[in-house]
């Protein structure tokens, strides 16, 4: 394993884009292109990090101190995994599971809790899918003296009850979503289990609670910025190993893990004039927004009161099939990742849960590290690239979290109880039909073909 110094700055990719991101739209006036991209209770520091074309942002000393307990994270060449899958080129892995949350989510949770605390917020409210984000925020709130409330997708909480236990141990209040606390859950009829609904419940609850603020961990531009520590470390670690890769892989729910590992490579190539590696987003075949979705304006949560964002989406109304890839079961990709996908600056591959868990099983047996099901998607794509000619020099993949609270999924795999049913085309078409396409003027320069 390799060790490097902890970055003291985050690195933004915004200065290296050919044009600004399409502006958000008000849900009340979807035809207007007014920029309503940030909430009124969002700390000004996060607003600036989302909108300014500034490349390097100093990491606050308090956040750096917290990072030092688990960063830098290890990167190594997975030689035994290479042999097990028959790789033709090296596969390197960047492991983010060695902290209290068990995932990369703590990188932005600590930053956000710090900025919200400085802004005078007393409670952070959020929605979570598999529970890594909820756990990370609970830990960050505990560190910075904030209350924390988490709405977790109900089916996921049933499968991973100890995620709830860990969040409560860290001081958080945890609700299974749909809950009985919000109007948006009542309107859902109680039968919907989706990250969009859990987020919608959090938005509603925070909006009516004094001293509380809604906090999101993945899709926002500032959260992708905070995750850049992953890619910054990886670039230095690969250089230390004198290794060259032409593919960078991360799994995608909304996009913070993928953006964190991949976009620093894009910024580095833009700065140095070197060729940029292929940046490959690995998504769940149950939620194939980047491979089968449309680039359109859509809701980010089930309330419909948040700004409409330009994203690759399968439609917020699409009933996402149940799977063990809870952290990837979000209908849309982050607007930053989506814009870069539209401009062919990133690409994507979809993976079924069986293939993902099989890749995770092989990785466990060969590298002695148990990856989360979400991370199994990245490993499956890394194996495809390394064995099928998609990479000529090498692949680096982010193993975004551990799978110790996902053992039920691996048990079902061993028992032959899992399947990977892709979404039905007509259902996808119906969910996407009413969406408003992003105007061509705002996305000139891209010729992405789905």
């Amino acid at each position: 394993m390799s060790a490097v110094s902890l970055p003291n700055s985050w690195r933004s990719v915004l200065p290296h884009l050919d044009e600004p991101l399409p502006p958000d739209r008000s849900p009340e006036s979807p035809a207007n292109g007014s920029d309503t991209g940030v909430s009124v209770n969002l700390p000004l520091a996060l607003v600036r990090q989302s909108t300014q074309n500034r490349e390097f942002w100093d990491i606050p000393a308090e956040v750096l101190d917290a990072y030092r307990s688990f960063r830098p994270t290890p990167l190594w060449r997975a030689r035994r995994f290479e042999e097990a899958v028959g790789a033709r080129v090296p596969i390197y892995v960047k492991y983010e599971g060695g902290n209290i949350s068990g995932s990369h989510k703590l990188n932005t949770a600590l930053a956000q809790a710090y900025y919200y605390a400085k802004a005078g917020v007393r409670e952070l409210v959020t929605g979570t899918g598999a529970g890594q984000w909820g756990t990370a925020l609970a830990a960050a709130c505990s560190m910075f003296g904030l209350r924390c409330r988490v709405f977790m997708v109900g089916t996921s909480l049933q499968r991973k009850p100890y995620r709830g236990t860990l969040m409560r141990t860290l001081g958080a209040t945890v609700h299974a979503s749909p809950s009985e606390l919000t109007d948006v859950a009542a309107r859902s009829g109680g039968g919907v289990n989706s990250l969009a609904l859990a987020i919608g419940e959090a938005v509603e609850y925070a909006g009516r609670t004094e001293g509380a603020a809604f906090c999101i961990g993945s899709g926002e531009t500032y959260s992708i910025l905070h995750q850049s520590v992953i890619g910054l470390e990886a670039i230095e670690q690969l250089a230390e190993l004198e290794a060259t890769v032409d593919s960078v892989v991360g799994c995608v729910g909304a996009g913070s893990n993928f953006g964190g590992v991949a976009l620093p490579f894009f910024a580095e190539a833009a700065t140095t004039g070197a060729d940029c590696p292929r940046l490959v987003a690995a998504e769940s075949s149950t939620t194939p927004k980047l491979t089968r979705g449309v680039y359109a304006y859509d809701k980010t949560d089930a309330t419909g009161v948040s700004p409409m964002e330009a994203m690759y989406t399968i439609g917020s109304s699409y009933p996402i099939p149940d799977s063990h890839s809870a952290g990837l079961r979000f209908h849309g990709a982050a607007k930053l990742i989506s814009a870069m996908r539209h401009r062919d600056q990133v690409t994507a591959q979809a993976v079924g849960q069986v293939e993902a868990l099989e890749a995770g099983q092989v990785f466990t047996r060969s590298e002695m590290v148990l990856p989360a099901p979400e991370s199994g998607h990245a490993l499956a794509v890394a194996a495809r690239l390394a064995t099928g000619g998609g990479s000529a020099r090498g692949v680096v993949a982010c193993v975004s979290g551990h799978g110790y609270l996902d053992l039920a999924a691996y048990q079902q795999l061993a028992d032959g109880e899992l399947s990977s049913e892709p979404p039905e085309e007509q259902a996808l078409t119906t969910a996407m039909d009413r969406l408003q396409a992003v105007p061509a003027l705002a996305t000139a320069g891209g010729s992405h073909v789905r």
Side-chain angles (χ1 to χ4, degrees):
M1 294 187 182
S2 175
V4 297
S5 59
L6 173 65
N8 56 21
S9 297
W10 296 302
R11 189 173 191 176
S12 173
V13 77
L14 292 179
H16 301 294
L17 301 183
D18 295 334
E19 58 190 53
L21 302 180
D24 294 353
R25 289 179 171 177
S26 167
E28 294 81 16
S29 306
N32 297 328
S34 58
D35 187 354
T36 56
V38 291
S39 166
V40 293
N41 66 355
L42 194 66
L44 185 57
L46 299 182
V47 175
R48 290 170 175 157
Q49 291 170 6
S50 296
T51 57
Q52 292 185 1
N53 281 338
R54 174 176 161 187
E55 185 164 5
F56 292 99
W57 296 81
D58 291 341
I59 302 174
E62 295 89 336
V63 178
L64 270 177
D65 285 343
Y67 279 178
R68 288 190 182 98
S69 67
F70 63 98
R71 305 208 69 87
T73 60
L75 178 145
W76 71 92
R77 181 174 174 182
R79 295 180 184 273
R80 292 182 296 274
F81 182 66
E82 292 171 15
E83 182 178 358
V85 300
R88 301 175 183 177
V89 297
I91 299 175
Y92 300 89
V93 292
K94 178 70 167 162
Y95 182 58
E96 291 290 309
N99 62 66
I100 182 64
S101 73
S103 85
H104 71 291
K105 297 288 189 178
L106 194 56
N107 297 323
T108 187
L110 288 166
Q112 291 190 50
Y114 166 81
Y115 288 123
Y116 275 104
K118 294 282 284 185
V121 170
R122 300 190 298 274
E123 179 180 13
L124 291 179
V125 187
T126 197
T128 191
Q132 291 98 330
W133 167 242
T135 306
L137 190 63
C141 285
S142 178
M143 180 164 289
F144 287 106
L146 300 172
R147 299 193 304 274
C148 181
R149 187 175 300 270
V150 180
F151 291 85
M152 183 169 175
V153 174
T155 53
S156 184
L157 184 57
Q158 288 176 346
R159 290 198 184 102
K160 304 185 221 336
Y162 293 119
R163 276 286 178 196
T165 301
L166 180 53
M167 285 184 262
R168 295 182 185 103
T169 300
L170 288 164
T173 301
V174 182
H175 306 285
S177 175
S179 72
E180 297 181 353
L181 299 178
T182 65
D183 293 338
V184 67
R187 290 195 299 272
S188 76
V192 176
N193 277 268
S194 73
L195 184 53
L197 179 58
I199 292 172
E201 290 206 79
V203 168
E204 180 184 327
Y205 187 92
R208 67 171 191 242
T209 304
E210 185 178 356
F214 170 69
C215 184
I216 192 68
S218 184
E220 298 304 319
T221 304
Y222 54 79
S223 65
I224 296 174
L225 172 71
H226 302 153
Q227 297 295 351
S228 66
V229 291
I230 303 173
L232 291 172
E233 288 179 5
I235 290 170
E236 188 175 343
Q237 287 166 318
L238 289 168
E240 186 182 57
L241 295 173
E242 298 183 348
T244 303
V245 299
D246 55 7
S247 298
V248 181
V249 182
C251 62
V252 170
S256 68
N257 161 67
F258 170 70
V261 68
L263 299 195
F265 284 85
F266 185 91
E268 184 70 8
T271 299
T272 64
D275 291 337
C276 183
R278 184 183 184 193
L279 309 179
V280 188
E283 65 181 6
S284 169
S285 63
T286 65
T287 323
K289 52 262 188 174
L290 292 171
T291 55
R292 296 175 65 183
V294 295
Y295 193 36
Y297 278 95
D298 199 3
K299 297 184 290 186
T300 57
D301 65 80
T303 65
V305 299
S306 299
M308 305 278 283
E309 295 187 1
M311 65 176 78
Y312 269 92
T313 175
I314 55 173
S316 56
S317 65
Y318 178 74
I320 298 170
D322 194 19
S323 78
H324 282 287
S325 307
L328 307 186
R329 294 177 68 248
F330 188 63
H331 63 275
K335 58 186 174 185
L336 174 56
I337 303 301
S338 293
M340 295 183 71
R341 170 65 164 149
H342 195 70
R343 298 164 190 169
D344 293 317
Q345 294 162 331
V346 304
T347 186
Q349 294 187 25
V351 179
Q353 67 174 346
V354 172
E355 183 184 358
L357 286 164
E358 286 176 343
Q361 184 181 70
V362 172
F363 192 78
T364 302
R365 293 173 178 176
S366 58
E367 298 295 322
M368 299 295 127
V369 173
L370 178 69
E374 294 84 358
S375 302
H377 292 69
L379 290 168
V381 170
R384 289 178 187 174
L385 294 171
T387 59
S391 174
R393 290 180 292 172
V395 182
V396 60
C398 186
V399 176
S400 56
H402 70 60
Y404 292 111
L405 296 176
D406 301 284
L407 286 169
Y410 283 100
Q411 184 62 55
Q412 284 190 283
L413 176 71
D415 294 341
E417 297 176 355
L418 295 182
S419 62
S420 297
E421 296 296 331
E424 197 271 320
E425 187 66 37
Q426 184 56 50
L428 284 176
T429 300
T430 300
M432 296 186 292
D433 266 351
R434 297 182 180 178
L435 298 175
Q436 296 190 355
V438 179
L441 182 62
T443 59
S447 56
H448 170 58
V449 178
R450 292 195 286 115

